[in-house]
């Protein structure tokens, strides 16, 4: 059953009026009481029902999601979650428009961002390409009083208001620890596959992965990173060639989302090699690969949570309300064959 403000009040030992003041960042609450209420909010997983408040106010929020036109399953899922949000628009008082841009294309992203300045938009969510020109375009949009949220991949040097995504350095470190432990002290080479190091999430995962490998698993050697632009056909060719020419490869870490190509190459060439494989994003393809024993671990982020979080944040910014940090924290899930949902 979904927690309510009554549950918060009871657990924190305060009145409903106090809970309301904390949720709406109003004065009149002692610091220690505010901290206790916020701790309860985090502990019980309260999610504020902004839809009901917006229905009462009769306000409409025109929002724009800028998403990459990419032939990979995770991005297909992100698009699907954004379309689901469109279908909820009447209830949530949102009017969401999706604009597609070519993946890993800073110029195309800048063009769309600049076109939104001065338009009737209450907020923009985008999958960022970490380039100076994109940062500048985001900053221009923020100066034009348009709230901006980055999705999946951040743009930390920019003036964006919020990032809806996992801690990618921690994700990379987690991948390295799992891969190293699964290999059980074996020595050999590790293939690392990225989509593009133009995006911060892939760079940060690589940073965390490399650091953990150096700290804990010095017997494993990282080969030069392969960049497959999350394109299944490109990835399949890169992995097939790498496996054919590197006999000492005993593990693979797929940073990005080109897993269909990776799995195709593994099915063709991995038989009998005893590879340990860690990938990102639980899709129909990686789920089946886990069940088949073709890969060992999937690290997953909930695209639906990220889309919903972006919408909540953009609405809150449009209304001048503070965020509930625990509500917007995106979790990193670890899936093995044994705990698939």
């Amino acid at each position: 059953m979904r927690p309510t403000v009554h549950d918060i009040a009871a657990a924190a030992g305060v009145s409903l009026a106090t809970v309301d003041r904390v949720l709406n960042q109003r004065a009149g609450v002692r610091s220690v009481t505010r901290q206790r209420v916020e701790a309860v909010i985090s502990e019980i997983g309260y999610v504020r029902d902004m839809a009901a408040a917006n229905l009462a106010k009769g306000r409409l929020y025109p929002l724009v999601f800028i998403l990459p036109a990419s032939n990979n399953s995770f991005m297909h899922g992100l698009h699907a979650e954004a379309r689901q949000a469109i279908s909820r628009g009447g209830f949530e008082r949102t009017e969401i428009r999706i604009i597609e841009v070519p993946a890993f294309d800073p110029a195309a992203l800048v063009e769309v961002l600049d076109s939104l300045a001065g338009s009737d938009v209450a907020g923009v969510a985008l999958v960022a390409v970490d380039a100076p020109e994109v940062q500048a375009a985001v900053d221009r949009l923020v100066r034009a009083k348009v709230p901006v949220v980055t999705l999946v991949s951040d743009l930390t040097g920019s003036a964006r208001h919020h990032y809806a995504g996992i801690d990618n350095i921690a994700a990379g470190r987690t991948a390295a620890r799992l891969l190293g432990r699964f290999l059980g002290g074996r020595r050999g080479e590790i293939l690392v596959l990225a989509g593009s190091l133009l995006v911060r999430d892939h760079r940060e995962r690589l940073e965390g992965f490399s650091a953990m490998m150096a700290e804990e698993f010095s017997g494993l050697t990282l080969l030069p990173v392969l960049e497959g632009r999350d394109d299944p056909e490109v990835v399949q060719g890169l992995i097939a060639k790498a496996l054919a020419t590197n006999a000492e490869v005993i593990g693979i870490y797929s940073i990005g989302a080109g897993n269909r190509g990776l799995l195709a190459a593994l099915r063709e060439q991995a038989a009998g090699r005893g590879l340990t494989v860690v990938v990102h994003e639980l899709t129909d393809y990686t789920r089946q690969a886990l069940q088949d024993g073709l890969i060992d671990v999937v690290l997953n982020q909930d695209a639906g949570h990220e889309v919903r979080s972006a919408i909540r944040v953009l609405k809150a910014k449009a209304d001048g309300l503070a965020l509930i940090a625990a509500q917007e924290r995106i979790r990193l899930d670890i899936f093995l064959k044994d705990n698939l949902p």
Side-chain angles (χ1 to χ4, degrees), residues 4-15:
T4 68
V5 290
H6 295 275
D7 298 320
I8 298 171
V14 299
S15 67

Side-chain angles (χ1 to χ4, degrees), residues 188-191 221-224 226 238-251 269 273 275:
E189 297 176 337
I190 305 298
L191 278 179
T221 301
L222 302 189
L223 294 174
L226 303 174
L238 288 172
I239 294 297
K241 181 179 179 181
L243 289 176
T245 56
N246 295 278
E248 300 302 312
V249 170
I250 59 174
Q269 295 188 244
R273 291 192 60 155
L275 296 174

Side-chain angles (χ1 to χ4, degrees), residues 7-286:
D7 298 320
I8 298 171
V14 299
S15 67
L16 287 174
T18 297
V19 174
D20 182 73
R21 290 190 189 98
V22 172
L23 288 173
N24 290 289
Q25 298 291 307
R26 289 200 287 267
V29 182
R30 290 188 304 160
S31 176
V32 64
T33 303
R34 187 179 298 276
Q35 290 173 7
R36 185 165 73 250
V37 172
E38 289 177 345
V40 168
I41 290 170
S42 176
E43 181 179 340
I44 70 176
Y46 173 77
V47 177
R48 192 176 186 190
D49 189 358
M50 292 297 294
N54 292 328
L55 278 170
K57 290 185 293 187
R59 178 167 188 183
L60 183 67
Y61 297 82
L63 306 175
V64 173
F65 276 69
I66 308 173
L67 304 178
S70 180
N71 185 25
N72 74 68
S73 299
F74 175 74
M75 284 302 169
H76 290 170
L78 189 66
H79 278 255
E81 292 293 346
R83 291 193 297 272
Q84 282 291 319
I86 291 174
S87 72
R88 299 190 302 268
F91 174 67
E92 296 183 344
R93 303 296 295 174
T94 57
E95 189 176 75
I96 296 172
R97 179 161 54 107
I98 299 173
I99 300 177
E100 288 191 347
V101 296
F104 312 121
D105 189 335
L109 192 50
V110 168
E111 183 178 355
V112 171
L113 288 167
D114 284 340
S115 73
L116 296 172
S119 63
D120 181 21
V121 57
V124 173
L126 73 149
V127 178
V129 177
D130 191 14
E133 59 268 39
V134 175
Q135 177 179 322
V138 166
D139 292 350
R140 287 193 293 272
L141 203 54
V142 171
R143 286 197 298 271
K145 307 301 182 185
V146 177
V148 176
V149 170
T150 51
L151 280 168
V152 182
S153 187
D154 201 7
L155 197 59
T156 56
S158 71
R160 60 96 176 115
H161 295 88
H162 184 74
Y163 163 58
I166 60 173
D167 180 337
N168 284 296
I169 291 178
R173 292 182 65 87
T174 301
R177 187 176 294 281
L178 289 167
L179 186 58
R181 290 295 182 90
F182 273 49
L183 286 170
R186 293 170 62 193
R187 304 178 69 87
E189 297 176 337
I190 305 298
L191 278 179
V192 179
L193 171 69
S196 171
L197 297 182
L198 279 173
V199 289
R200 181 172 289 271
D201 60 326
H202 291 198
R203 290 208 312 274
E204 288 183 342
R205 291 175 193 176
L206 176 61
E207 177 185 342
F209 186 83
S210 300
M212 176 58 70
M213 279 292 175
E215 293 166 18
E216 301 277 348
F217 305 104
S218 58
L220 299 173
T221 301
L222 302 189
L223 294 174
V225 177
L226 303 174
E227 294 185 63
R229 300 185 70 81
D230 288 346
D231 183 304
E233 291 186 7
V234 173
V235 167
Q236 183 175 354
L238 288 172
I239 294 297
K241 181 179 179 181
L243 289 176
T245 56
N246 295 278
E248 300 302 312
V249 170
I250 59 174
I252 299 175
Y253 174 39
S254 176
I255 290 176
N259 290 319
R260 276 183 290 156
L262 168 64
L263 298 177
L266 291 177
R267 287 193 173 92
E268 289 176 359
Q269 295 188 244
R273 291 192 60 155
L275 296 174
T276 296
V277 183
V278 177
V279 308
H280 280 266
E281 318 313 351
L282 187 65
T283 66
D284 290 342
Y285 296 96
T286 55

